[in-house]
Amino acid sequence: MKRVPSSLQISPLRSLALVATCFFTLPGLAFAQDNDTQPHEVIQGLQDGQRVELKLPDPEKQLPLEDLRKFTEVFARIKGAYVEEVSDRELLESAIKGMLSDLDPHSTYLAPKDYEELEESTSGEFGGLGIEVGMENGFVKVISPIDDTPAQKAGVQAGDLIIKLDEKPVKGMSLEEAVNLMRGKPGTVLTLTIMRDGQSAPIEIDVTRNIIKVTSVKSRMLESGYGYVRITQFQAETGRQFRQALSNLEEDFGSDLKGLVIDLRNNPGGVLQAAVEASDALLDSGLIVYTEGRIQSSRLRFSAKKGDLMEGTPIVVLINGGSASASEILAGALQDHKRAVVMGTQSFGKGSVQTIIPLDETHAIKMTTARYFTPDGRSIQAKGITPDIEVRPAELTELDSRPFFTEADLSGHLEGEDEEKARQEREKNEQARKSSENRDYQLRSALNLLKGMSILSGTTDSAQ
């Protein structure tokens, strides 16, 4: 006989006996699949000789007893026969970790130390190599190296698959175990054995651990009238820092910018709210992002408030395979609102939201609770953001770098108007040609696009 659920328990004992008797004897008794019926209604119906529906829970939604028996059997076997003694606490914590990690690569159990590391990563200072990682086929995959960190300087690249940490194979480790090995005392060296696309054999990279201090937002002028903002990752203060960077660029230039490049390449994401704030700074109205999940608290909508700080200035957003999560929120919002041209290569495709759920004062779980969608309703989970203009990284070699012989080089040439100004302009262009921006093909392509847009809109100075 199926047990009546707690919501249908009836007291006193005499009434319960009546229900049990009726279960066997009343031919008109039926059973439904929900449990909305109240106990007093059941009693009243039986006393009045009416047909009564007892609404029992769906067996498919109940804890399976056979699987629970299997779990306790495995627990007991490990407890009694494992080569080393394991405490009940260790076994239960391992079971919790396995339960979460098997859901997806981003759900995990947070012990007290993990809490501290999470706080460090969102505040912008922590110890280690300086890479954002995930799991893929049992190996650690580099989502992106963080700018100006030991890993980035050593040559670690987005998409690298780490197969060994020093002499320890990564296969079989949890992500938490691998991250703990990568962290360590500043100044110590960790050898990463990496598989990389295009390489036929593993390569080894020595990385010296250091205190990682991440500057979330960097800005500078590329050329007169064209600004550049680099967001390395989204931290708690990134939204405010991004607004300040935009204001500083306009103050330095002295008037409205002709164009802006926002560089999100190798930005692994971070705090959702920071991406919303950065988007809001460039949008005058409309939806930025919304989330959908099973529970009400995971269904959120974020919209822009009135006020575009750049007042319609043309924008190019650079993305690549290392641009993930919050980076994709910003790029997707600006793309859907036709506020920016997205350039580069396909982004990483992390379209899920993780929520920290406290269990007690020192423990919590980080669990995927929602998927997020761009304003046009696009889910980028496992798809990513497709750039409007695909520009792959490239190394350019000039066919002829020799300066041209011009009329101005001829002895006794007829003096031209503003000749000295033209000479200074040529020297300036030569310096720009040799700059790091010129060697970055994607960045140079973004700058050239902005210049073209400026020419067509008629905002370019006549001297340029």
Side-chain angles (χ1 to χ4, degrees):
M1 181 182 73
K2 294 183 180 179
R3 187 177 59 182
V4 178
S6 58
S7 60
L8 294 185
Q9 287 180 353
I10 305 170
S11 59
L13 182 61
R14 173 179 164 277
S15 299
L16 184 60
L18 177 62
V19 174
T21 303
C22 292
F23 176 79
F24 290 105
T25 58
L26 288 181
L29 190 63
F31 291 89
Q33 294 299 315
D34 56 57
N35 57 356
D36 296 331
T37 305
Q38 299 298 316
H40 69 275
E41 294 175 349
V42 174
I43 297 171
Q44 186 63 48
L46 290 171
Q47 290 175 343
D48 295 343
Q50 298 175 356
R51 175 187 174 91
V52 176
E53 292 187 357
L54 288 179
K55 300 179 180 180
L56 300 177
D58 185 351
E60 295 296 324
K61 297 179 181 179
Q62 305 308 300
L63 282 173
L65 291 179
E66 282 301 317
D67 290 336
L68 285 174
R69 290 192 187 99
K70 189 184 300 179
F71 174 82
T72 55
E73 176 71 14
V74 170
F75 189 95
R77 292 294 180 93
I78 295 173
K79 182 75 176 169
Y82 185 64
V83 64
E84 294 178 358
E85 188 174 342
V86 188
S87 69
D88 290 345
R89 179 184 296 274
E90 288 176 305
L91 282 176
L92 288 171
E93 287 210 348
S94 296
I96 295 171
K97 290 176 184 177
M99 189 160 43
L100 285 159
S101 64
D102 202 44
L103 296 174
D104 62 67
H106 310 293
S107 296
T108 186
Y109 175 68
L110 298 175
K113 184 179 178 181
D114 303 314
Y115 250 147
E116 294 174 11
E117 292 173 356
L118 182 67
E119 185 176 327
E120 289 171 352
S121 64
T122 55
S123 65
E125 180 173 332
F126 53 96
L129 307 180
I131 51 177
E132 181 77 12
V133 295
M135 292 296 289
E136 183 175 291
N137 299 324
F139 297 108
V140 174
K141 184 173 184 178
V142 178
I143 296 175
S144 69
I146 301 170
D147 284 2
D148 302 322
T149 61
Q152 193 254 353
K153 293 174 182 177
V156 177
Q157 298 179 10
D160 285 348
L161 211 60
I162 302 174
I163 60 175
K164 285 174 67 177
L165 297 168
D166 282 335
E167 296 302 316
K168 297 181 179 179
V170 170
K171 189 75 171 179
M173 289 185 187
S174 67
L175 184 60
E176 178 190 354
E177 291 169 334
V179 168
N180 286 338
L181 284 176
M182 285 187 274
R183 293 178 182 268
K185 186 177 179 181
T188 58
V189 177
L190 179 68
T191 300
L192 306 179
T193 304
I194 285 170
M195 291 296 297
R196 179 177 293 169
D197 285 345
Q199 299 286 340
S200 58
I203 57 176
E204 292 186 353
I205 299 178
D206 292 335
V207 185
T208 303
R209 297 182 180 93
N210 204 346
I211 297 297
I212 308 301
K213 295 182 179 180
V214 179
T215 302
S216 177
V217 180
K218 304 175 183 178
S219 62
R220 65 178 185 272
M221 297 299 294
L222 294 174
E223 291 184 14
S224 179
Y226 297 95
Y228 171 86
V229 177
R230 164 79 175 144
I231 305 178
T232 57
Q233 68 180 95
F234 287 88
Q235 300 166 355
E237 290 295 309
T238 298
R240 182 190 60 79
Q241 293 171 5
F242 180 69
R243 287 175 172 269
Q244 186 61 52
L246 298 181
S247 299
N248 291 344
L249 284 175
E250 292 204 329
E251 287 174 8
D252 293 343
F253 183 59
S255 63
D256 291 338
L257 293 173
K258 300 171 191 174
L260 175 69
V261 177
I262 301 176
D263 192 350
L264 300 177
R265 291 174 296 177
N266 295 326
N267 181 325
V271 180
L272 171 70
Q273 188 61 39
V276 170
E277 291 173 5
S279 303
D280 191 11
L282 299 170
L283 295 173
D284 205 40
S285 62
L287 189 62
I288 294 173
V289 65
Y290 67 93
T291 63
E292 290 287 349
R294 293 175 58 209
I295 58 177
Q296 186 62 40
S297 60
S298 66
R299 300 168 197 159
L300 304 172
R301 297 176 72 86
F302 298 92
S303 297
K305 298 182 289 292
K306 189 171 181 59
D308 174 1
L309 291 184
M310 301 305 292
E311 298 180 350
T313 298
I315 298 172
V316 174
V317 176
L318 287 175
I319 62 171
N320 66 1
S323 306
S325 191
S327 300
E328 295 168 304
I329 289 175
L330 175 56
L334 298 182
Q335 186 180 52
D336 282 2
H337 283 285
K338 304 296 189 291
R339 182 64 187 87
V341 176
V342 178
M343 179 181 285
T345 55
Q346 193 83 6
S347 65
F348 183 76
K350 181 185 178 294
S352 59
V353 179
Q354 282 69 48
T355 302
I356 307 302
I357 304 173
L359 302 176
D360 54 38
E361 293 182 356
T362 57
H363 297 77
I365 58 175
K366 182 176 74 169
M367 185 168 63
T368 301
T369 54
R371 286 183 170 89
Y372 66 77
F373 298 82
T374 70
D376 284 352
R378 292 183 293 160
S379 170
I380 64 170
Q381 176 60 29
K383 297 178 183 177
I385 295 291
T386 301
D388 300 306
I389 302 174
E390 183 179 33
V391 178
R392 294 188 171 277
E395 293 183 2
L396 301 183
T397 303
E398 294 185 358
L399 297 178
D400 189 354
S401 59
R402 296 171 297 176
F404 285 102
F405 188 75
T406 68
E407 173 74 14
D409 297 316
L410 293 175
S411 178
H413 68 274
L414 187 64
E415 196 76 21
E417 292 184 8
D418 296 327
E419 186 174 323
E420 179 60 25
K421 183 178 180 180
R423 184 188 64 78
Q424 292 175 355
E425 187 69 24
R426 286 197 301 271
E427 290 178 355
K428 183 179 177 181
N429 290 338
E430 179 64 15
Q431 291 175 353
R433 185 182 64 81
K434 296 178 180 178
S435 68
S436 60
E437 284 82 12
N438 191 62
R439 294 194 298 272
D440 186 337
Y441 179 58
Q442 291 176 314
L443 180 54
R444 188 170 75 173
S445 298
L447 179 59
N448 287 339
L449 176 60
L450 287 173
K451 287 181 176 179
M453 295 166 71
S454 180
I455 291 171
L456 290 176
S457 65
T459 59
T460 302
D461 293 339
S462 58
Q464 293 187 338

